[in-house]
Amino acid sequence: MARTSFIAMMIFAYLNLITIPSYYAQPYLFPRPFLNPIFSGYRVFYDDANHHQPQPKIGNKNQKKNPKNTQKLVEGFYKNTCPNAEQIVANQVAEIVKTNPGAIAALIRLQFHDCFVGGCDASILLDSVASGDRVEKMSLANGQLLKGADLIDDIKSKLEEECPGIVSCADTLAFAAAESMTLGGLPPQPKLGGRKDGLSSLATNVEGNLPFPNWSMDQMLDLFKKKGFNAEDMVVLNGAHSVGSAHCNVFSNRLFDFRNTGASDPTLGLGVVDELKKICRDPRTVEARENPSVSFDETPTVLDNLLFKNIVEKKRALLATDQAMADDKRTAMFVRRLAEDPNLFPMKFGEVMSRMSSLGVLTGNQGEVRTTCRSTIL
């Protein structure tokens, strides 16, 4: 049982354990969190008229398109049917972040988990499906520590008050993630709309589509390549760890007993090991039950290049996969460039996230537009 619990905790690490920094005193405090008895042991495009608008601005032309798509994502998609949609989302995200700064990381992470498993169709938000199978959020890679679904509920309810049945949950999530990036310090992100909501969500589809914190660089690169991203894109997307935090129990084996050696991970800087040992208790001890979360870098609510600077200059990366990017010849040059140029990461991250938000989308007559993001209509 102990080994099972440890493995489960490790799975949560990669873009999975982005939480509110501990010094905000609310590390897991989101209203109405998703609770599932299975994990109780762990503490831890609706407006078809817009399709005919003249010469709409579309997403990245180099992005591989879903061959089933009948229309493309466009800016101003709800201009005629729900003119205030984007502003409503922006206002709601801003209000949420005032009291929950970690929502910036949670919403970005939530979209990653949605898009990398079957495309950006809001399937991550479903509590159940007609077949009765376990849904994506019940998988070990998501589970109780996946935050943000309740925040989308709140945003969606405001949209339903203004424009019932118009704005999809998939677009709501994409707009919220884009606004989170803006609040995190990036230039305003384009709000590409037109996604429909998927009808399927299976926990079994998650395995192999979300990375593990102990993966090799070969596994990491292979996964991102399958999703249409090259080595540089992968490094940039890993920059999502510029915001949020990871629980000590996810990485503390690197401090106390790396690969059962009884020593620390040699890829960690010695000063970093000393720093983190003052915060995290040995996972083999009872005291580890009280372990907190640790910010990925010193600016946990700002999307900046500090994560990369720390990796290069201090060898400080909480997750082994992050540090491995600086040590692998296929990715090291990109880590160094991002560390050296403070303007490069904000520019690159917005661009790659925009492409990611177009993965495998349903449009036109596909899917549905849910009025409640947790359950299907059809």
Side-chain angles (χ1 to χ4, degrees):
M1 178 62 73
R3 179 175 176 81
T4 301
S5 298
F6 174 75
I7 293 173
M9 288 298 300
M10 287 296 291
I11 293 173
F12 292 135
Y14 201 92
L15 279 175
N16 300 12
L17 273 175
I18 298 178
T19 58
I20 298 176
S22 58
Y23 50 77
Y24 286 115
Q26 300 182 51
Y28 298 107
L29 185 57
F30 285 90
R32 301 192 306 280
F34 164 67
L35 296 176
N36 177 12
I38 295 175
F39 299 98
S40 59
Y42 303 118
R43 172 54 183 149
V44 265
F45 289 166
Y46 188 80
D47 178 14
D48 288 334
N50 278 336
H51 176 52
H52 302 291
Q53 290 181 356
Q55 299 181 337
K57 182 177 180 180
I58 64 173
N60 189 297
K61 293 181 179 180
N62 295 323
Q63 177 65 31
K64 186 179 295 184
K65 301 296 191 301
N66 182 340
K68 296 182 179 180
N69 282 355
T70 58
Q71 66 186 67
K72 299 173 182 177
L73 302 183
V74 300
E75 286 193 72
F77 186 83
Y78 298 101
K79 180 178 179 180
N80 296 330
T81 55
C82 191
N84 296 323
E86 295 176 18
Q87 191 60 52
I88 290 171
V89 174
N91 292 343
Q92 289 301 302
V93 172
E95 286 299 312
I96 290 168
V97 169
K98 284 181 182 178
T99 54
N100 278 327
I104 291 174
L107 291 170
I108 294 171
R109 166 196 170 217
L110 186 65
Q111 189 178 36
F112 175 86
H113 280 232
D114 183 43
C115 294
F116 258 52
V117 182
C120 309
D121 62 354
S123 55
I124 188 66
L125 302 176
L126 288 172
D127 282 345
S128 62
V129 288
S131 65
D133 293 314
R134 294 173 66 235
V135 294
E136 290 173 29
K137 64 169 58 171
M138 291 183 180
S139 70
L140 288 177
N142 292 315
Q144 186 173 340
L145 290 181
L146 183 71
K147 301 297 180 181
D150 54 301
L151 306 180
I152 299 300
D153 289 339
D154 294 340
I155 298 168
K156 175 64 169 171
S157 67
K158 292 293 184 181
L159 290 168
E160 287 298 305
E161 290 176 8
E162 177 92 4
C163 315
I166 299 297
V167 184
S168 69
C169 295
D171 276 345
T172 302
L173 174 54
F175 291 174
E179 190 61 30
S180 295
M181 290 189 286
T182 301
L183 293 177
L186 268 60
Q189 302 300 302
K191 308 297 193 302
L192 301 178
R195 302 166 188 81
K196 285 289 196 65
D197 301 324
L199 303 175
S200 174
S201 180
L202 296 173
T204 52
N205 290 340
V206 174
E207 184 176 354
N209 283 305
L210 290 177
F212 284 48
N214 62 343
W215 271 14
S216 68
M217 195 52 53
D218 285 341
Q219 290 173 299
M220 293 284 293
L221 289 167
D222 285 347
L223 172 61
F224 281 81
K225 182 178 179 180
K226 289 177 183 177
K227 304 299 179 181
F229 300 104
N230 60 27
E232 182 180 13
D233 296 332
M234 187 199 74
V235 172
V236 170
L237 281 175
N238 272 268
H241 291 156
S242 171
V243 289
S245 60
H247 198 278
C248 282
N249 293 349
V250 171
F251 60 84
S252 55
N253 66 304
R254 300 181 67 204
L255 307 176
F256 298 95
D257 191 24
F258 181 64
R259 295 180 180 175
N260 300 315
T261 62
S264 60
D265 185 345
T267 66
L268 281 169
L270 293 179
V272 173
V273 173
D274 293 339
E275 169 207 340
L276 295 177
K277 278 187 174 181
K278 294 177 182 179
I279 303 171
C280 304
R281 301 297 181 91
D282 190 326
R284 298 166 294 184
T285 66
V286 175
E287 289 80 5
R289 296 176 182 175
E290 304 301 321
N291 271 340
S293 293
V294 179
S295 297
F296 284 115
D297 65 29
E298 296 88 335
T299 56
T301 62
V302 181
L303 285 161
D304 55 23
N305 75 328
L306 190 54
L307 173 80
F308 298 103
K309 285 177 64 67
N310 286 346
I311 291 175
V312 171
E313 298 175 4
K314 302 179 181 179
K315 294 187 177 181
R316 185 191 188 279
L318 301 187
L319 304 183
T321 44
D322 283 353
Q323 187 64 51
M325 294 188 305
D327 300 327
D328 191 287
K329 63 182 181 181
R330 294 165 292 183
T331 52
M333 68 180 76
F334 304 121
V335 175
R336 288 196 299 270
R337 289 175 187 171
L338 291 167
E340 293 167 358
D341 186 349
N343 298 315
L344 186 59
F345 172 69
M347 177 185 68
K348 288 282 189 179
F349 188 70
E351 186 271 326
V352 179
M353 280 291 292
S354 180
R355 284 195 281 127
M356 191 198 75
S357 71
S358 301
L359 285 177
V361 295
L362 303 174
T363 62
N365 295 325
Q366 299 172 318
E368 65 177 3
V369 174
R370 300 181 212 144
T371 54
T372 300
C373 294
R374 291 176 180 266
S375 60
T376 62
I377 297 173
L378 303 178

